[in-house]
PDB file of all heavy atoms in Angstrom:
ATOM      1  N   ALA A   1    -114.628  88.826 -23.107  1.00  0.00           N
ATOM      2  CA  ALA A   1    -114.914  88.560 -24.547  1.00  0.00           C
ATOM      3  C   ALA A   1    -115.775  87.320 -24.851  1.00  0.00           C
ATOM      4  O   ALA A   1    -116.373  87.299 -25.895  1.00  0.00           O
ATOM      5  CB  ALA A   1    -113.455  88.340 -25.252  1.00  0.00           C
ATOM      6  N   ILE A   2    -115.706  86.332 -24.056  1.00  0.00           N
ATOM      7  CA  ILE A   2    -116.443  85.170 -24.254  1.00  0.00           C
ATOM      8  C   ILE A   2    -118.026  85.452 -24.377  1.00  0.00           C
ATOM      9  O   ILE A   2    -118.602  85.056 -25.401  1.00  0.00           O
ATOM     10  CB  ILE A   2    -116.223  84.100 -23.249  1.00  0.00           C
ATOM     11  CG1 ILE A   2    -114.828  83.583 -23.392  1.00  0.00           C
ATOM     12  CG2 ILE A   2    -117.134  82.883 -23.352  1.00  0.00           C
ATOM     13  CD1 ILE A   2    -114.265  82.616 -22.283  1.00  0.00           C
ATOM     14  N   PRO A   3    -118.624  86.023 -23.335  1.00  0.00           N
ATOM     15  CA  PRO A   3    -120.076  86.373 -23.522  1.00  0.00           C
ATOM     16  C   PRO A   3    -120.291  87.350 -24.616  1.00  0.00           C
ATOM     17  O   PRO A   3    -121.420  87.372 -25.305  1.00  0.00           O
ATOM     18  CB  PRO A   3    -120.472  86.817 -22.130  1.00  0.00           C
ATOM     19  CG  PRO A   3    -119.312  87.327 -21.544  1.00  0.00           C
ATOM     20  CD  PRO A   3    -118.102  86.456 -22.042  1.00  0.00           C
ATOM     21  N   THR A   4    -119.410  88.416 -24.786  1.00  0.00           N
ATOM     22  CA  THR A   4    -119.707  89.455 -25.830  1.00  0.00           C
ATOM     23  C   THR A   4    -119.566  88.796 -27.163  1.00  0.00           C
ATOM     24  O   THR A   4    -120.365  89.195 -28.082  1.00  0.00           O
ATOM     25  CB  THR A   4    -118.684  90.520 -25.733  1.00  0.00           C
ATOM     26  OG1 THR A   4    -117.360  90.150 -25.771  1.00  0.00           O
ATOM     27  CG2 THR A   4    -118.946  91.308 -24.335  1.00  0.00           C
ATOM     28  N   ALA A   5    -118.790  87.896 -27.428  1.00  0.00           N
ATOM     29  CA  ALA A   5    -118.649  87.088 -28.692  1.00  0.00           C
ATOM     30  C   ALA A   5    -119.892  86.360 -29.004  1.00  0.00           C
ATOM     31  O   ALA A   5    -120.340  86.337 -30.106  1.00  0.00           O
ATOM     32  CB  ALA A   5    -117.450  86.126 -28.660  1.00  0.00           C
ATOM     33  N   PHE A   6    -120.471  85.736 -27.926  1.00  0.00           N
ATOM     34  CA  PHE A   6    -121.734  85.048 -28.100  1.00  0.00           C
ATOM     35  C   PHE A   6    -122.817  85.964 -28.618  1.00  0.00           C
ATOM     36  O   PHE A   6    -123.734  85.589 -29.455  1.00  0.00           O
ATOM     37  CB  PHE A   6    -122.174  84.411 -26.800  1.00  0.00           C
ATOM     38  CG  PHE A   6    -123.369  83.715 -26.865  1.00  0.00           C
ATOM     39  CD1 PHE A   6    -123.481  82.407 -27.349  1.00  0.00           C
ATOM     40  CD2 PHE A   6    -124.595  84.220 -26.373  1.00  0.00           C
ATOM     41  CE1 PHE A   6    -124.764  81.704 -27.407  1.00  0.00           C
ATOM     42  CE2 PHE A   6    -125.832  83.563 -26.476  1.00  0.00           C
ATOM     43  CZ  PHE A   6    -125.908  82.341 -26.958  1.00  0.00           C
ATOM     44  N   PHE A   7    -122.837  87.215 -28.205  1.00  0.00           N
ATOM     45  CA  PHE A   7    -123.801  88.120 -28.619  1.00  0.00           C
ATOM     46  C   PHE A   7    -123.529  88.717 -30.009  1.00  0.00           C
ATOM     47  O   PHE A   7    -124.232  88.740 -30.876  1.00  0.00           O
ATOM     48  CB  PHE A   7    -123.989  89.372 -27.623  1.00  0.00           C
ATOM     49  CG  PHE A   7    -124.622  90.489 -28.086  1.00  0.00           C
ATOM     50  CD1 PHE A   7    -126.017  90.489 -28.235  1.00  0.00           C
ATOM     51  CD2 PHE A   7    -123.961  91.727 -28.313  1.00  0.00           C
ATOM     52  CE1 PHE A   7    -126.770  91.579 -28.737  1.00  0.00           C
ATOM     53  CE2 PHE A   7    -124.648  92.858 -28.770  1.00  0.00           C
ATOM     54  CZ  PHE A   7    -126.006  92.788 -29.024  1.00  0.00           C
ATOM     55  N   THR A   8    -122.185  89.252 -30.165  1.00  0.00           N
ATOM     56  CA  THR A   8    -121.916  89.931 -31.384  1.00  0.00           C
ATOM     57  C   THR A   8    -121.731  89.101 -32.589  1.00  0.00           C
ATOM     58  O   THR A   8    -121.988  89.551 -33.684  1.00  0.00           O
ATOM     59  CB  THR A   8    -120.654  90.866 -31.149  1.00  0.00           C
ATOM     60  OG1 THR A   8    -119.521  89.880 -30.658  1.00  0.00           O
ATOM     61  CG2 THR A   8    -120.771  91.897 -30.084  1.00  0.00           C
ATOM     62  N   PHE A   9    -121.327  87.884 -32.356  1.00  0.00           N
ATOM     63  CA  PHE A   9    -121.137  86.964 -33.563  1.00  0.00           C
ATOM     64  C   PHE A   9    -122.478  86.491 -34.187  1.00  0.00           C
ATOM     65  O   PHE A   9    -122.506  85.887 -35.145  1.00  0.00           O
ATOM     66  CB  PHE A   9    -120.340  85.751 -33.051  1.00  0.00           C
ATOM     67  CG  PHE A   9    -118.906  85.950 -33.071  1.00  0.00           C
ATOM     68  CD1 PHE A   9    -118.382  87.218 -32.901  1.00  0.00           C
ATOM     69  CD2 PHE A   9    -117.991  84.943 -33.116  1.00  0.00           C
ATOM     70  CE1 PHE A   9    -116.999  87.424 -32.874  1.00  0.00           C
ATOM     71  CE2 PHE A   9    -116.602  85.154 -33.150  1.00  0.00           C
ATOM     72  CZ  PHE A   9    -116.130  86.450 -32.976  1.00  0.00           C
ATOM     73  N   ARG A  10    -123.633  86.972 -33.610  1.00  0.00           N
ATOM     74  CA  ARG A  10    -124.793  86.702 -34.234  1.00  0.00           C
ATOM     75  C   ARG A  10    -125.169  87.769 -35.207  1.00  0.00           C
ATOM     76  O   ARG A  10    -126.225  87.752 -35.915  1.00  0.00           O
ATOM     77  CB  ARG A  10    -125.904  86.641 -33.173  1.00  0.00           C
ATOM     78  CG  ARG A  10    -125.770  85.459 -32.280  1.00  0.00           C
ATOM     79  CD  ARG A  10    -126.832  85.409 -31.092  1.00  0.00           C
ATOM     80  NE  ARG A  10    -126.598  84.256 -30.257  1.00  0.00           N
ATOM     81  CZ  ARG A  10    -127.340  83.128 -30.325  1.00  0.00           C
ATOM     82  NH1 ARG A  10    -128.109  83.001 -31.370  1.00  0.00           N
ATOM     83  NH2 ARG A  10    -127.051  81.992 -29.596  1.00  0.00           N
ATOM     84  N   LEU A  11    -124.333  88.881 -35.249  1.00  0.00           N
ATOM     85  CA  LEU A  11    -124.629  89.996 -36.123  1.00  0.00           C
ATOM     86  C   LEU A  11    -123.536  89.957 -37.302  1.00  0.00           C
ATOM     87  O   LEU A  11    -122.414  89.375 -37.097  1.00  0.00           O
ATOM     88  CB  LEU A  11    -124.404  91.327 -35.307  1.00  0.00           C
ATOM     89  CG  LEU A  11    -125.337  91.379 -34.068  1.00  0.00           C
ATOM     90  CD1 LEU A  11    -124.910  92.632 -33.303  1.00  0.00           C
ATOM     91  CD2 LEU A  11    -126.786  91.380 -34.391  1.00  0.00           C
ATOM     92  N   TYR A  12    -123.870  90.648 -38.403  1.00  0.00           N
ATOM     93  CA  TYR A  12    -122.954  90.667 -39.511  1.00  0.00           C
ATOM     94  C   TYR A  12    -122.727  91.974 -40.052  1.00  0.00           C
ATOM     95  O   TYR A  12    -123.628  92.804 -39.908  1.00  0.00           O
ATOM     96  CB  TYR A  12    -123.536  89.651 -40.705  1.00  0.00           C
ATOM     97  CG  TYR A  12    -123.452  88.178 -40.209  1.00  0.00           C
ATOM     98  CD1 TYR A  12    -124.577  87.686 -39.576  1.00  0.00           C
ATOM     99  CD2 TYR A  12    -122.408  87.453 -40.362  1.00  0.00           C
ATOM    100  CE1 TYR A  12    -124.653  86.391 -39.189  1.00  0.00           C
ATOM    101  CE2 TYR A  12    -122.404  86.123 -40.053  1.00  0.00           C
ATOM    102  CZ  TYR A  12    -123.438  85.592 -39.411  1.00  0.00           C
ATOM    103  OH  TYR A  12    -123.516  84.244 -39.070  1.00  0.00           O
ATOM    104  N   GLY A  13    -121.645  92.263 -40.630  1.00  0.00           N
ATOM    105  CA  GLY A  13    -121.328  93.472 -41.273  1.00  0.00           C
ATOM    106  C   GLY A  13    -121.495  94.772 -40.312  1.00  0.00           C
ATOM    107  O   GLY A  13    -120.926  94.711 -39.234  1.00  0.00           O
ATOM    108  N   PRO A  14    -122.180  95.715 -40.888  1.00  0.00           N
ATOM    109  CA  PRO A  14    -122.394  97.028 -39.953  1.00  0.00           C
ATOM    110  C   PRO A  14    -123.064  96.740 -38.644  1.00  0.00           C
ATOM    111  O   PRO A  14    -122.757  97.367 -37.672  1.00  0.00           O
ATOM    112  CB  PRO A  14    -123.174  97.912 -40.867  1.00  0.00           C
ATOM    113  CG  PRO A  14    -123.883  96.970 -41.815  1.00  0.00           C
ATOM    114  CD  PRO A  14    -122.898  95.887 -42.006  1.00  0.00           C
ATOM    115  N   TYR A  15    -123.868  95.674 -38.621  1.00  0.00           N
ATOM    116  CA  TYR A  15    -124.562  95.362 -37.251  1.00  0.00           C
ATOM    117  C   TYR A  15    -123.591  94.753 -36.242  1.00  0.00           C
ATOM    118  O   TYR A  15    -123.704  95.005 -35.066  1.00  0.00           O
ATOM    119  CB  TYR A  15    -125.685  94.362 -37.643  1.00  0.00           C
ATOM    120  CG  TYR A  15    -126.755  94.782 -38.493  1.00  0.00           C
ATOM    121  CD1 TYR A  15    -126.636  94.401 -39.915  1.00  0.00           C
ATOM    122  CD2 TYR A  15    -127.693  95.703 -38.137  1.00  0.00           C
ATOM    123  CE1 TYR A  15    -127.659  94.755 -40.801  1.00  0.00           C
ATOM    124  CE2 TYR A  15    -128.689  96.238 -39.071  1.00  0.00           C
ATOM    125  CZ  TYR A  15    -128.591  95.666 -40.301  1.00  0.00           C
ATOM    126  OH  TYR A  15    -129.566  96.172 -41.285  1.00  0.00           O
ATOM    127  N   PHE A  16    -122.612  94.042 -36.779  1.00  0.00           N
ATOM    128  CA  PHE A  16    -121.517  93.563 -35.830  1.00  0.00           C
ATOM    129  C   PHE A  16    -120.782  94.860 -35.327  1.00  0.00           C
ATOM    130  O   PHE A  16    -120.464  94.893 -34.110  1.00  0.00           O
ATOM    131  CB  PHE A  16    -120.537  92.808 -36.590  1.00  0.00           C
ATOM    132  CG  PHE A  16    -119.347  92.368 -35.743  1.00  0.00           C
ATOM    133  CD1 PHE A  16    -119.464  91.219 -34.844  1.00  0.00           C
ATOM    134  CD2 PHE A  16    -118.158  93.021 -35.866  1.00  0.00           C
ATOM    135  CE1 PHE A  16    -118.363  90.875 -34.166  1.00  0.00           C
ATOM    136  CE2 PHE A  16    -117.104  92.662 -35.068  1.00  0.00           C
ATOM    137  CZ  PHE A  16    -117.120  91.514 -34.207  1.00  0.00           C
ATOM    138  N   ALA A  17    -120.445  95.739 -36.187  1.00  0.00           N
ATOM    139  CA  ALA A  17    -119.673  96.965 -35.743  1.00  0.00           C
ATOM    140  C   ALA A  17    -120.437  97.682 -34.696  1.00  0.00           C
ATOM    141  O   ALA A  17    -119.971  98.049 -33.598  1.00  0.00           O
ATOM    142  CB  ALA A  17    -119.435  97.891 -36.889  1.00  0.00           C
ATOM    143  N   ILE A  18    -121.757  97.950 -34.945  1.00  0.00           N
ATOM    144  CA  ILE A  18    -122.597  98.681 -33.958  1.00  0.00           C
ATOM    145  C   ILE A  18    -122.702  97.892 -32.700  1.00  0.00           C
ATOM    146  O   ILE A  18    -122.689  98.445 -31.604  1.00  0.00           O
ATOM    147  CB  ILE A  18    -124.002  98.984 -34.632  1.00  0.00           C
ATOM    148  CG1 ILE A  18    -123.754  99.892 -35.893  1.00  0.00           C
ATOM    149  CG2 ILE A  18    -124.893  99.539 -33.612  1.00  0.00           C
ATOM    150  CD1 ILE A  18    -125.022 100.095 -36.640  1.00  0.00           C
ATOM    151  N   GLY A  19    -122.816  96.561 -32.770  1.00  0.00           N
ATOM    152  CA  GLY A  19    -122.892  95.723 -31.661  1.00  0.00           C
ATOM    153  C   GLY A  19    -121.822  95.774 -30.747  1.00  0.00           C
ATOM    154  O   GLY A  19    -121.942  95.843 -29.505  1.00  0.00           O
ATOM    155  N   THR A  20    -120.637  95.904 -31.266  1.00  0.00           N
ATOM    156  CA  THR A  20    -119.421  96.012 -30.464  1.00  0.00           C
ATOM    157  C   THR A  20    -119.333  97.232 -29.801  1.00  0.00           C
ATOM    158  O   THR A  20    -118.911  97.489 -28.542  1.00  0.00           O
ATOM    159  CB  THR A  20    -118.179  95.793 -31.338  1.00  0.00           C
ATOM    160  OG1 THR A  20    -118.112  96.713 -32.368  1.00  0.00           O
ATOM    161  CG2 THR A  20    -118.093  94.387 -31.914  1.00  0.00           C
ATOM    162  N   TRP A  21    -119.769  98.376 -30.427  1.00  0.00           N
ATOM    163  CA  TRP A  21    -119.861  99.632 -29.842  1.00  0.00           C
ATOM    164  C   TRP A  21    -120.815  99.712 -28.659  1.00  0.00           C
ATOM    165  O   TRP A  21    -120.593 100.278 -27.536  1.00  0.00           O
ATOM    166  CB  TRP A  21    -120.226 100.704 -30.856  1.00  0.00           C
ATOM    167  CG  TRP A  21    -120.378 102.137 -30.262  1.00  0.00           C
ATOM    168  CD1 TRP A  21    -119.282 102.961 -29.826  1.00  0.00           C
ATOM    169  CD2 TRP A  21    -121.564 102.821 -29.958  1.00  0.00           C
ATOM    170  NE1 TRP A  21    -119.946 104.167 -29.391  1.00  0.00           N
ATOM    171  CE2 TRP A  21    -121.330 104.031 -29.425  1.00  0.00           C
ATOM    172  CE3 TRP A  21    -122.937 102.499 -30.144  1.00  0.00           C
ATOM    173  CZ2 TRP A  21    -122.204 104.905 -28.916  1.00  0.00           C
ATOM    174  CZ3 TRP A  21    -123.920 103.289 -29.782  1.00  0.00           C
ATOM    175  CH2 TRP A  21    -123.541 104.579 -29.148  1.00  0.00           C
ATOM    176  N   VAL A  22    -121.995  99.056 -28.845  1.00  0.00           N
ATOM    177  CA  VAL A  22    -123.081  99.007 -27.763  1.00  0.00           C
ATOM    178  C   VAL A  22    -122.550  98.315 -26.554  1.00  0.00           C
ATOM    179  O   VAL A  22    -122.766  98.666 -25.484  1.00  0.00           O
ATOM    180  CB  VAL A  22    -124.333  98.338 -28.310  1.00  0.00           C
ATOM    181  CG1 VAL A  22    -125.298  98.016 -27.224  1.00  0.00           C
ATOM    182  CG2 VAL A  22    -124.999  99.145 -29.364  1.00  0.00           C
ATOM    183  N   VAL A  23    -121.766  97.093 -26.742  1.00  0.00           N
ATOM    184  CA  VAL A  23    -121.234  96.404 -25.630  1.00  0.00           C
ATOM    185  C   VAL A  23    -120.294  97.358 -24.902  1.00  0.00           C
ATOM    186  O   VAL A  23    -120.268  97.304 -23.662  1.00  0.00           O
ATOM    187  CB  VAL A  23    -120.487  95.140 -26.184  1.00  0.00           C
ATOM    188  CG1 VAL A  23    -119.790  94.540 -25.093  1.00  0.00           C
ATOM    189  CG2 VAL A  23    -121.528  94.247 -26.693  1.00  0.00           C
ATOM    190  N   ALA A  24    -119.369  98.023 -25.657  1.00  0.00           N
ATOM    191  CA  ALA A  24    -118.378  98.843 -24.965  1.00  0.00           C
ATOM    192  C   ALA A  24    -119.197 100.002 -24.098  1.00  0.00           C
ATOM    193  O   ALA A  24    -118.718 100.255 -22.975  1.00  0.00           O
ATOM    194  CB  ALA A  24    -117.569  99.606 -26.003  1.00  0.00           C
ATOM    195  N   GLU A  25    -120.278 100.545 -24.542  1.00  0.00           N
ATOM    196  CA  GLU A  25    -120.964 101.524 -23.870  1.00  0.00           C
ATOM    197  C   GLU A  25    -121.635 101.001 -22.650  1.00  0.00           C
ATOM    198  O   GLU A  25    -121.572 101.553 -21.551  1.00  0.00           O
ATOM    199  CB  GLU A  25    -122.022 102.276 -24.766  1.00  0.00           C
ATOM    200  CG  GLU A  25    -121.560 103.247 -25.840  1.00  0.00           C
ATOM    201  CD  GLU A  25    -120.681 104.298 -25.113  1.00  0.00           C
ATOM    202  OE1 GLU A  25    -121.361 105.151 -24.345  1.00  0.00           O
ATOM    203  OE2 GLU A  25    -119.490 104.495 -25.236  1.00  0.00           O
ATOM    204  N   VAL A  26    -122.133  99.809 -22.819  1.00  0.00           N
ATOM    205  CA  VAL A  26    -122.743  99.083 -21.599  1.00  0.00           C
ATOM    206  C   VAL A  26    -121.758  98.946 -20.499  1.00  0.00           C
ATOM    207  O   VAL A  26    -121.963  99.117 -19.287  1.00  0.00           O
ATOM    208  CB  VAL A  26    -123.458  97.773 -22.052  1.00  0.00           C
ATOM    209  CG1 VAL A  26    -123.793  97.061 -20.760  1.00  0.00           C
ATOM    210  CG2 VAL A  26    -124.656  98.000 -22.933  1.00  0.00           C
ATOM    211  N   VAL A  27    -120.577  98.401 -20.853  1.00  0.00           N
ATOM    212  CA  VAL A  27    -119.548  98.148 -19.892  1.00  0.00           C
ATOM    213  C   VAL A  27    -119.065  99.377 -19.177  1.00  0.00           C
ATOM    214  O   VAL A  27    -118.816  99.423 -18.111  1.00  0.00           O
ATOM    215  CB  VAL A  27    -118.228  97.308 -20.591  1.00  0.00           C
ATOM    216  CG1 VAL A  27    -117.253  97.218 -19.599  1.00  0.00           C
ATOM    217  CG2 VAL A  27    -118.822  95.984 -21.031  1.00  0.00           C
ATOM    218  N   ARG A  28    -118.899 100.493 -20.046  1.00  0.00           N
ATOM    219  CA  ARG A  28    -118.537 101.764 -19.456  1.00  0.00           C
ATOM    220  C   ARG A  28    -119.493 102.257 -18.555  1.00  0.00           C
ATOM    221  O   ARG A  28    -119.045 102.681 -17.425  1.00  0.00           O
ATOM    222  CB  ARG A  28    -118.368 102.787 -20.677  1.00  0.00           C
ATOM    223  CG  ARG A  28    -117.945 104.120 -20.187  1.00  0.00           C
ATOM    224  CD  ARG A  28    -117.915 105.158 -21.315  1.00  0.00           C
ATOM    225  NE  ARG A  28    -119.297 105.536 -21.735  1.00  0.00           N
ATOM    226  CZ  ARG A  28    -120.122 106.401 -21.203  1.00  0.00           C
ATOM    227  NH1 ARG A  28    -119.748 107.075 -20.169  1.00  0.00           N
ATOM    228  NH2 ARG A  28    -121.358 106.560 -21.738  1.00  0.00           N
ATOM    229  N   LEU A  29    -120.848 102.190 -18.796  1.00  0.00           N
ATOM    230  CA  LEU A  29    -121.858 102.673 -17.741  1.00  0.00           C
ATOM    231  C   LEU A  29    -121.867 101.842 -16.514  1.00  0.00           C
ATOM    232  O   LEU A  29    -122.057 102.323 -15.486  1.00  0.00           O
ATOM    233  CB  LEU A  29    -123.104 102.560 -18.520  1.00  0.00           C
ATOM    234  CG  LEU A  29    -123.392 103.582 -19.711  1.00  0.00           C
ATOM    235  CD1 LEU A  29    -124.729 103.254 -20.426  1.00  0.00           C
ATOM    236  CD2 LEU A  29    -123.319 105.030 -19.126  1.00  0.00           C
ATOM    237  N   LEU A  30    -121.548 100.510 -16.705  1.00  0.00           N
ATOM    238  CA  LEU A  30    -121.440  99.708 -15.543  1.00  0.00           C
ATOM    239  C   LEU A  30    -120.308 100.036 -14.586  1.00  0.00           C
ATOM    240  O   LEU A  30    -120.433 100.108 -13.418  1.00  0.00           O
ATOM    241  CB  LEU A  30    -121.420  98.245 -15.941  1.00  0.00           C
ATOM    242  CG  LEU A  30    -122.775  97.699 -16.534  1.00  0.00           C
ATOM    243  CD1 LEU A  30    -122.540  96.247 -16.917  1.00  0.00           C
ATOM    244  CD2 LEU A  30    -123.995  97.735 -15.508  1.00  0.00           C
ATOM    245  N   LEU A  31    -119.172 100.265 -15.202  1.00  0.00           N
ATOM    246  CA  LEU A  31    -117.927 100.500 -14.422  1.00  0.00           C
ATOM    247  C   LEU A  31    -118.028 101.909 -13.883  1.00  0.00           C
ATOM    248  O   LEU A  31    -117.382 102.144 -12.788  1.00  0.00           O
ATOM    249  CB  LEU A  31    -116.666 100.332 -15.268  1.00  0.00           C
ATOM    250  CG  LEU A  31    -116.335  98.837 -15.583  1.00  0.00           C
ATOM    251  CD1 LEU A  31    -115.233  98.715 -16.484  1.00  0.00           C
ATOM    252  CD2 LEU A  31    -116.102  98.068 -14.263  1.00  0.00           C
ATOM    253  N   ALA A  32    -118.672 102.810 -14.508  1.00  0.00           N
ATOM    254  CA  ALA A  32    -118.899 104.184 -13.902  1.00  0.00           C
ATOM    255  C   ALA A  32    -119.670 104.139 -12.584  1.00  0.00           C
ATOM    256  O   ALA A  32    -119.691 105.116 -11.893  1.00  0.00           O
ATOM    257  CB  ALA A  32    -119.665 105.087 -14.947  1.00  0.00           C
ATOM    258  N   GLN A  33    -120.337 103.061 -12.303  1.00  0.00           N
ATOM    259  CA  GLN A  33    -121.099 102.909 -10.947  1.00  0.00           C
ATOM    260  C   GLN A  33    -120.162 102.241  -9.957  1.00  0.00           C
ATOM    261  O   GLN A  33    -120.690 102.207  -8.812  1.00  0.00           O
ATOM    262  CB  GLN A  33    -122.383 102.006 -11.144  1.00  0.00           C
ATOM    263  CG  GLN A  33    -123.239 102.393 -12.428  1.00  0.00           C
ATOM    264  CD  GLN A  33    -123.659 103.858 -12.351  1.00  0.00           C
ATOM    265  OE1 GLN A  33    -124.088 104.402 -11.341  1.00  0.00           O
ATOM    266  NE2 GLN A  33    -123.543 104.539 -13.540  1.00  0.00           N
ATOM    267  N   TRP A  34    -118.971 101.967 -10.212  1.00  0.00           N
ATOM    268  CA  TRP A  34    -118.130 101.265  -9.385  1.00  0.00           C
ATOM    269  C   TRP A  34    -117.521 102.320  -8.388  1.00  0.00           C
ATOM    270  O   TRP A  34    -116.510 102.843  -8.759  1.00  0.00           O
ATOM    271  CB  TRP A  34    -116.967 100.497 -10.111  1.00  0.00           C
ATOM    272  CG  TRP A  34    -116.282  99.556  -9.216  1.00  0.00           C
ATOM    273  CD1 TRP A  34    -116.411  99.273  -7.912  1.00  0.00           C
ATOM    274  CD2 TRP A  34    -115.230  98.620  -9.754  1.00  0.00           C
ATOM    275  NE1 TRP A  34    -115.664  98.337  -7.483  1.00  0.00           N
ATOM    276  CE2 TRP A  34    -114.813  97.810  -8.556  1.00  0.00           C
ATOM    277  CE3 TRP A  34    -114.630  98.366 -10.928  1.00  0.00           C
ATOM    278  CZ2 TRP A  34    -113.927  96.873  -8.655  1.00  0.00           C
ATOM    279  CZ3 TRP A  34    -113.704  97.413 -10.994  1.00  0.00           C
ATOM    280  CH2 TRP A  34    -113.327  96.660  -9.884  1.00  0.00           C
ATOM    281  N   LYS A  35    -118.195 102.568  -7.226  1.00  0.00           N
ATOM    282  CA  LYS A  35    -117.808 103.621  -6.321  1.00  0.00           C
ATOM    283  C   LYS A  35    -116.459 103.415  -5.804  1.00  0.00           C
ATOM    284  O   LYS A  35    -115.726 104.315  -5.407  1.00  0.00           O
ATOM    285  CB  LYS A  35    -118.787 103.757  -5.204  1.00  0.00           C
ATOM    286  CG  LYS A  35    -120.205 104.072  -5.685  1.00  0.00           C
ATOM    287  CD  LYS A  35    -120.240 105.329  -6.546  1.00  0.00           C
ATOM    288  CE  LYS A  35    -121.542 105.805  -6.978  1.00  0.00           C
ATOM    289  NZ  LYS A  35    -121.650 107.009  -7.721  1.00  0.00           N
ATOM    290  N   ALA A  36    -115.852 102.116  -5.562  1.00  0.00           N
ATOM    291  CA  ALA A  36    -114.673 101.806  -4.992  1.00  0.00           C
ATOM    292  C   ALA A  36    -113.480 102.337  -5.877  1.00  0.00           C
ATOM    293  O   ALA A  36    -112.488 102.610  -5.384  1.00  0.00           O
ATOM    294  CB  ALA A  36    -114.553 100.344  -4.729  1.00  0.00           C
ATOM    295  N   LEU A  37    -113.836 102.495  -7.127  1.00  0.00           N
ATOM    296  CA  LEU A  37    -112.779 103.064  -8.029  1.00  0.00           C
ATOM    297  C   LEU A  37    -113.065 104.420  -8.609  1.00  0.00           C
ATOM    298  O   LEU A  37    -112.836 104.750  -9.705  1.00  0.00           O
ATOM    299  CB  LEU A  37    -112.534 102.072  -9.147  1.00  0.00           C
ATOM    300  CG  LEU A  37    -111.832 100.801  -8.764  1.00  0.00           C
ATOM    301  CD1 LEU A  37    -111.707  99.904 -10.006  1.00  0.00           C
ATOM    302  CD2 LEU A  37    -110.531 100.872  -8.050  1.00  0.00           C
ATOM    303  N   GLY A  38    -113.891 105.181  -7.815  1.00  0.00           N
ATOM    304  CA  GLY A  38    -114.115 106.504  -8.112  1.00  0.00           C
ATOM    305  C   GLY A  38    -115.355 106.900  -8.889  1.00  0.00           C
ATOM    306  O   GLY A  38    -115.625 107.986  -9.139  1.00  0.00           O
ATOM    307  N   GLY A  39    -116.167 105.769  -9.304  1.00  0.00           N
ATOM    308  CA  GLY A  39    -117.426 106.018 -10.043  1.00  0.00           C
ATOM    309  C   GLY A  39    -117.135 106.759 -11.249  1.00  0.00           C
ATOM    310  O   GLY A  39    -116.197 106.434 -12.051  1.00  0.00           O
ATOM    311  N   GLY A  40    -118.015 107.709 -11.620  1.00  0.00           N
ATOM    312  CA  GLY A  40    -117.899 108.358 -12.891  1.00  0.00           C
ATOM    313  C   GLY A  40    -116.624 109.457 -13.033  1.00  0.00           C
ATOM    314  O   GLY A  40    -116.304 109.800 -14.139  1.00  0.00           O
ATOM    315  N   THR A  41    -116.147 109.781 -11.872  1.00  0.00           N
ATOM    316  CA  THR A  41    -114.972 110.736 -11.846  1.00  0.00           C
ATOM    317  C   THR A  41    -113.678 110.036 -12.031  1.00  0.00           C
ATOM    318  O   THR A  41    -112.622 110.719 -12.221  1.00  0.00           O
ATOM    319  CB  THR A  41    -115.017 111.713 -10.706  1.00  0.00           C
ATOM    320  OG1 THR A  41    -114.939 110.840  -9.479  1.00  0.00           O
ATOM    321  CG2 THR A  41    -116.259 112.449 -10.650  1.00  0.00           C
ATOM    322  N   GLY A  42    -113.625 108.663 -11.543  1.00  0.00           N
ATOM    323  CA  GLY A  42    -112.370 107.989 -11.729  1.00  0.00           C
ATOM    324  C   GLY A  42    -111.462 108.046 -10.508  1.00  0.00           C
ATOM    325  O   GLY A  42    -111.909 108.624  -9.377  1.00  0.00           O
ATOM    326  N   THR A  43    -110.296 107.528 -10.483  1.00  0.00           N
ATOM    327  CA  THR A  43    -109.397 107.533  -9.363  1.00  0.00           C
ATOM    328  C   THR A  43    -107.947 107.453  -9.937  1.00  0.00           C
ATOM    329  O   THR A  43    -107.745 107.305 -11.043  1.00  0.00           O
ATOM    330  CB  THR A  43    -109.759 106.319  -8.500  1.00  0.00           C
ATOM    331  OG1 THR A  43    -108.989 106.458  -7.292  1.00  0.00           O
ATOM    332  CG2 THR A  43    -109.397 104.920  -9.205  1.00  0.00           C
ATOM    333  N   SER A  44    -107.004 107.508  -8.980  1.00  0.00           N
ATOM    334  CA  SER A  44    -105.610 107.377  -9.211  1.00  0.00           C
ATOM    335  C   SER A  44    -105.040 106.199  -8.561  1.00  0.00           C
ATOM    336  O   SER A  44    -105.486 105.656  -7.539  1.00  0.00           O
ATOM    337  CB  SER A  44    -104.837 108.619  -8.825  1.00  0.00           C
ATOM    338  OG  SER A  44    -105.279 109.732  -9.451  1.00  0.00           O
TER     339      SER A  44
END
C-alpha cells in the first residue's frame, strides 16, 4: 500500500478510482507469472 498510495494519491475523484483498479490489474498480472504458485491457473 505504501508505494501504491504514493501513486494513487496524486489522483483525485474518478481518476483515483481508476488508478486503484489499474494497480490491482498490474499486481494480478505480475502474480499470474509466479510459477511457484501455479502461475495463471493457480494452486492449492
